[in-house]
Amino acid sequence: STQELKFTGLEQHAIGNAVAGSLFVASYIMRVRSEGRGEPTSTLARTLALAGGGLSLYTAWLGGKLVQEHGEAVRPVMDTLP
């Protein structure tokens, strides 16, 4: 049903954003530690950032789909007036 699709999409959107944020934080911490030791940025740190960026693009697309196709979190202006 549409309600199940919305719920699944919302879960994917929310969890995906949380994971993407975690990937960026992990990459940042690795980069700061490498810089502190005077080492170049590791391939893993760069890969984590790239994965976070890719996941962010996916969750942005999914969020747009939830709004455009399912009307999630969309409230018509007339419904918000007193």
Side-chain angles (χ1 to χ4, degrees):
S1 75
T2 304
Q3 190 67 12
E4 290 173 3
L5 286 174
K6 284 184 188 179
F7 188 68
T8 302
L10 284 172
E11 283 180 337
Q12 290 176 357
H13 179 67
I15 293 170
N17 282 331
V19 170
S22 298
L23 291 170
F24 286 131
V25 168
S27 173
Y28 176 76
I29 290 170
M30 292 177 74
R31 288 169 185 256
V32 168
R33 288 183 178 173
S34 292
E35 185 178 327
R37 293 188 300 257
E39 299 172 355
T41 302
S42 70
T43 302
L44 179 58
R46 292 174 192 257
T47 303
L48 290 174
L50 186 61
L55 187 55
S56 292
L57 288 173
Y58 170 71
T59 59
W61 169 81
L62 186 57
K65 184 174 179 170
L66 286 168
V67 170
Q68 294 296 322
E69 293 182 16
H70 300 288
E72 190 63 36
V74 174
R75 204 176 307 156
V77 174
M78 296 306 292
D79 292 347
T80 61
L81 297 176

